[in-house]
Amino acid sequence: PRMLDYFRESLRKSEAAKPIQYRCRHKDDSWRILESVGKRFDDPVEGLVAIVNSRDITEQMQALESLRVSEERFQLASRATEDALWDWDMRTNSLWFSETFYELLGVSPGESDANFDLWLDAIHPGDKKRVVENLDKVIESGQHFWSDEYRLCSANGTFAHIFDRAYIVRDEEGKPVRMTGAAINFTERKQ
């Protein structure tokens, strides 16, 4: 019935109808997910005709579901630890922070986008040069691991003592493409 309604809608509208997704049983008895889009044409011989193009998107939908489950698992794991997690895509210079990292910075995720400058600007001026030099040195050396201790300033002006460590992912030529890390706030232990 849903497809029949879709065909009727395609005949009524002059522009292409919105794509529709539906499940369909395959000849091997498995269920497949199809996506169809219909458009009306005025054929001089046949009259009003709806052409519907369908494609099998089962694998795409399964991949999306797998990605969703993986992301959910990652989010739950990041909540289970006190570590402030981050992930830096070095090709696009985009950065992702966990909720805990935003808490360290004293900002909410909606208030400020994660980016390299947000992190860099929060590092204590007395530590910034050393941290950047150490990070650059490790990236240029071809190593896979980086770690450093520094003070991180929260939006309220207080400083936290941080131990930060990361793994650097490199492509086939050894060029750094991604860096994933976890920062621990050890201010109480330091005091």
Side-chain angles (χ1 to χ4, degrees):
R2 189 170 167 204
M3 279 305 296
L4 190 55
D5 291 340
Y6 183 74
F7 288 130
R8 287 184 183 132
E9 180 186 343
S10 298
L11 280 171
R12 279 195 302 272
K13 294 184 172 185
S14 58
E15 72 277 355
K18 292 180 182 175
I20 184 174
Q21 294 176 358
Y22 55 96
R23 290 177 4 130
C24 182
R25 187 165 309 270
H26 191 270
K27 65 182 176 183
D28 68 4
D29 213 32
S30 66
W31 284 97
R32 308 298 292 173
I33 302 171
L34 300 180
E35 181 177 70
S36 297
V37 64
K39 180 149 176 47
R40 179 181 96 176
F41 292 96
D42 293 316
D43 186 278
V45 177
E46 298 290 325
L48 198 55
V49 178
I51 304 287
V52 177
N53 183 18
S54 300
R55 64 187 179 110
D56 187 339
I57 60 168
T58 306
E59 290 177 9
Q60 285 174 274
M61 297 304 285
Q62 289 169 339
L64 284 173
E65 177 60 14
S66 213
L67 185 62
R68 186 196 64 76
V69 168
S70 178
E71 175 66 18
E72 182 180 3
R73 186 177 298 123
F74 179 73
Q75 289 295 337
L76 289 172
S78 74
R79 287 187 199 136
T81 179
E82 291 183 15
D83 290 1
L85 306 177
W86 54 273
D87 187 31
W88 177 23
D89 184 334
M90 299 167 87
R91 292 169 294 200
T92 63
N93 203 28
S94 61
L95 204 56
W96 172 88
F97 292 144
S98 67
E99 290 178 24
T100 310
F101 207 102
Y102 278 108
E103 289 171 12
L104 273 177
L105 294 169
V107 296
S108 66
E111 184 181 335
S112 186
D113 291 333
N115 62 61
F116 192 77
D117 289 334
L118 179 64
W119 170 73
L120 198 59
D121 290 343
I123 295 175
H124 188 283
D127 298 337
K128 189 182 298 190
K129 182 177 182 212
R130 175 187 48 79
V131 170
V132 171
E133 286 174 356
N134 183 11
L135 180 61
D136 287 343
K137 180 180 164 187
V138 170
I139 289 172
E140 294 301 316
S141 72
Q143 296 176 27
H144 287 280
F145 296 97
W146 168 81
S147 66
D148 210 335
E149 288 184 21
Y150 55 89
R151 292 164 290 175
L152 192 70
C153 184
S154 178
N156 66 9
T158 62
F159 283 93
H161 291 272
I162 303 297
F163 176 69
D164 206 346
R165 68 230 181 265
Y167 178 76
I168 302 168
V169 178
R170 297 179 180 277
D171 64 14
E172 305 81 38
E173 289 104 37
K175 181 180 176 187
V177 294
R178 184 175 180 184
M179 200 167 169
T180 300
I184 299 172
N185 180 353
F186 69 100
T187 304
E188 288 180 20
R189 282 180 251 162
K190 184 88 170 175
Q191 292 170 346

